Amino acid sequence: KGHVIQDLKKCDFEPLMAHLEAEKEKKKSLTKEEKQKIKEEKEKTEAPYNTVILDSHTEKNGNFRVEPAGLFRGRGEHPKMGQIKGVIAPEDISMNCAATACPP
């Protein structure tokens, strides 16, 4: 109500669209080797979080990522569709592990 932006039709999103288009083209122009290198680096950083030890067995971790804030989209006719998801702070995350375990 008291926000500076009152009408989105008056906003100019062209610079934002141009930036996103440039990023998309830059990503498309990468060679196969560069894409493979990026993929390997990503896998290397995620490796410690991909598996967990549960009852002395190694299990694949289902999900270790947090969704970013934004509009909730849902699937089908979801009652929360269109509502805003808030920002998640590190204090909001709880890990299901032993009290004596060292957090990652």
Side-chain angles (χ1 to χ4, degrees):
K1 294 184 178 186
H3 199 274
V4 176
I5 300 173
Q6 296 295 322
D7 188 8
L8 287 176
K9 293 178 183 173
K10 295 179 183 177
C11 294
D12 181 21
F13 292 106
E14 289 297 321
L16 180 63
M17 289 172 49
H19 172 73
L20 291 174
E21 195 63 36
E23 290 293 315
K24 186 191 290 187
E25 289 300 321
K26 188 165 59 169
K27 196 171 185 180
K28 275 185 180 180
S29 68
L30 291 175
T31 64
K32 188 174 182 180
E33 292 80 23
E34 291 171 328
K35 289 179 185 177
Q36 185 66 27
K37 183 180 177 186
I38 292 170
K39 183 179 177 184
E40 288 172 359
E41 288 175 3
K42 182 180 175 189
E43 288 174 356
K44 184 179 174 183
T45 58
E46 293 176 353
Y49 309 106
N50 283 337
T51 57
V52 294
I53 299 172
L54 180 66
D55 296 332
S56 70
H57 292 9
T58 303
E59 297 281 336
K60 188 174 185 292
N61 193 357
N63 186 12
F64 56 90
R65 292 182 180 87
V66 177
E67 292 184 7
L71 287 177
F72 183 84
R73 296 182 60 176
R75 294 188 180 106
E77 293 295 323
H78 199 283
K80 291 188 174 185
M81 186 179 295
Q83 293 184 356
I84 296 176
K85 296 187 295 182
V87 176
I88 304 295
E91 303 85 46
D92 298 334
I93 298 173
S94 62
M95 295 183 65
N96 188 10
C97 59
T100 58
C102 179

